[in-house]
Amino acid sequence: MANDLTGDYDVAVQLSLDAVNRVTAALHSVKRFPHSLSMAIDDRPNRTLPTVVAGVVDLNGSAVVNPKVIENGVLASVASGWGVLTQDVVDNLDPVVNPLGGLVNPGPEPVETEYSYVYGVAQAQLGAPSMKLPKGHSDQAEIHTPAMIRYFANTSDPKTDSLSPFLKGEIVTTFAVKSVTSKAGANIVVDLAGPSGNVHFDSARSEVALDAADKKAIDLALSKVLKHGFEPSSTPRPDNVLAMDFRGYPSESAIGMLMNVTTHNDPSPDSVRNVFLHSDDQFALALNGDGFTDQFSSAVNSAIDPMRVENIDATVTINYWIGSYTFHIYTRITVGTATVQLTNTP
């Protein structure tokens, strides 16, 4: 039965955004998220690269520092058949590699009708990403990644957008998480939300002021990178979990993970409206009381069943001065079905 804490679900876990962001910061500190990137960029109609952006690393998987080496190395790789990543580099770098695209095998490019004319070399220093919840959406989250970017425009093409040599700000990308069931099984899928994740660069400071055309060019180049290179993350749902959904609470800066472990129904995330996470909590767990009161009731009734009906035959003998009398008392005791209820008073 639905209730105010868990709605249609058996279990509701709520986490604060502070707790989530501490996890992303820890992942960034151990380099599960990149700290630095070196890239060759070519978003023109007749580009020389097989992709809009090509990352360049050395044999140790570290970003190349010299911008000339980045540009010359990419051009040399294109001329030699685009063998940028060897297996040794892939093993050492531990990148997310798309077997049908990316650097190893770029694959077919999508049909394009608009170009940013961003052409050159970019070097980026990336901070720990943090999550924010957009207003009006309960199934989406924005990832804000601080970035300092050095851009070397290739001015050999007069149409090249020179942008600013130095930029500082945040790369903002919107993701959605959902439960997907197919013939392969049930999975929790994280994917881009909106066109190319609605990715955009929020500039905080730049050496040369960015006008509307510059900002549009940057956002267009970023969107092409994600459209062609991003793969959704798919994680199998645990076998003992019958349903799993997620919901964001923007006003309370909280995220809810909602699960059914015994109940077979069609739950809705909208049924969990209340946030029971306090301001100083990192996470909170709520259980539907029916989930364990029913088990207690079953256990109690199982114990009562063998003696549900009891017949008692009592014999009483009373001695009088004129003799004695014997009485037989027949008693039948029937115990009804036991129920267990939760109360606020211990």
Side-chain angles (χ1 to χ4, degrees):
M1 181 181 296
N3 60 67
D4 292 339
L5 291 182
T6 63
D8 298 335
Y9 298 86
D10 298 329
V11 182
V13 181
Q14 295 180 353
L15 304 96
S16 71
L17 282 186
D18 287 343
V20 174
N21 290 334
R22 272 195 287 275
V23 173
T24 60
L27 291 173
H28 182 264
S29 69
V30 297
K31 297 188 177 181
R32 290 300 297 162
F33 295 139
H35 286 226
S36 57
L37 296 173
S38 295
M39 302 160 285
I41 306 173
D42 190 350
D43 185 25
R44 300 173 300 160
N46 298 311
R47 56 173 164 258
T48 56
L49 303 180
T51 58
V52 175
V53 173
V56 182
V57 295
D58 59 23
L59 293 178
N60 295 318
S62 301
V64 174
V65 176
N66 191 328
K68 286 298 181 182
V69 172
I70 298 171
E71 185 175 16
N72 295 336
V74 169
L75 293 177
S77 297
V78 172
S80 62
W82 197 242
V84 177
L85 289 184
T86 65
Q87 189 59 45
D88 289 340
V89 174
V90 171
D91 292 340
N92 191 46
L93 182 59
D94 191 22
V96 178
V97 176
N98 178 359
L100 300 179
L103 296 182
V104 176
N105 178 16
E109 282 285 303
V111 177
E112 298 177 4
T113 58
E114 190 176 12
Y115 298 90
S116 65
Y117 287 91
V118 175
Y119 177 38
V121 170
Q123 296 173 299
Q125 292 290 329
L126 305 176
S130 60
M131 180 182 294
K132 295 182 181 179
L133 300 177
K135 300 292 185 182
H137 293 279
S138 63
D139 61 343
Q140 298 181 6
E142 291 180 348
I143 304 300
H144 293 244
T145 304
M148 292 190 297
I149 302 172
R150 178 75 165 98
Y151 176 62
F152 301 86
N154 189 327
T155 56
S156 62
D157 187 336
K159 292 184 178 181
T160 299
D161 194 329
S162 59
L163 300 176
S164 172
F166 295 96
L167 303 98
K168 181 179 180 181
E170 289 186 330
I171 299 173
V172 183
T173 312
T174 306
F175 292 89
V177 59
K178 57 186 176 181
S179 181
V180 176
T181 302
S182 64
K183 293 181 179 179
N187 291 274
I188 306 302
V189 177
V190 178
D191 200 356
L192 297 172
S196 300
N198 295 320
V199 63
H200 58 277
F201 180 72
D202 281 348
S203 176
R205 186 164 61 249
S206 60
E207 183 181 20
V208 178
L210 301 176
D211 58 23
D214 293 333
K215 295 177 181 178
K216 181 180 178 181
I218 294 172
D219 293 348
L220 179 58
L222 288 173
S223 68
K224 288 185 177 183
V225 172
L226 287 180
K227 183 186 297 182
H228 187 58
F230 179 81
E231 283 192 346
S233 170
S234 180
T235 303
R237 193 179 71 200
D239 293 336
N240 60 341
V241 177
L242 304 178
M244 179 181 288
D245 293 304
F246 297 84
R247 173 172 180 169
Y249 302 90
S251 299
E252 294 84 3
S253 296
I255 298 172
M257 182 173 64
L258 317 171
M259 294 175 287
N260 270 357
V261 292
T262 60
T263 304
H264 294 267
N265 61 356
D266 187 19
S268 170
D270 291 336
S271 67
V272 186
R273 299 180 180 276
N274 295 323
V275 175
F276 46 83
L277 187 76
H278 294 167
S279 59
D280 56 347
D281 291 337
Q282 302 307 311
F283 73 93
L285 172 70
L287 304 178
N288 187 331
D290 295 339
F292 53 89
T293 56
D294 289 347
Q295 295 185 42
F296 273 114
S297 297
S298 297
V300 171
N301 283 297
S302 295
I304 292 176
D305 280 340
M307 47 188 174
R308 181 77 63 184
V309 178
E310 291 289 326
N311 294 310
I312 301 174
D313 184 3
T315 301
V316 178
T317 301
I318 300 177
N319 292 315
Y320 293 92
W321 63 274
I322 58 174
S324 62
Y325 294 89
T326 298
F327 300 90
H328 293 276
I329 302 174
Y330 299 96
T331 306
R332 184 184 181 109
I333 301 174
T334 302
V335 179
T337 302
T339 59
V340 177
Q341 295 180 338
L342 297 177
T343 65
N344 292 327
T345 304

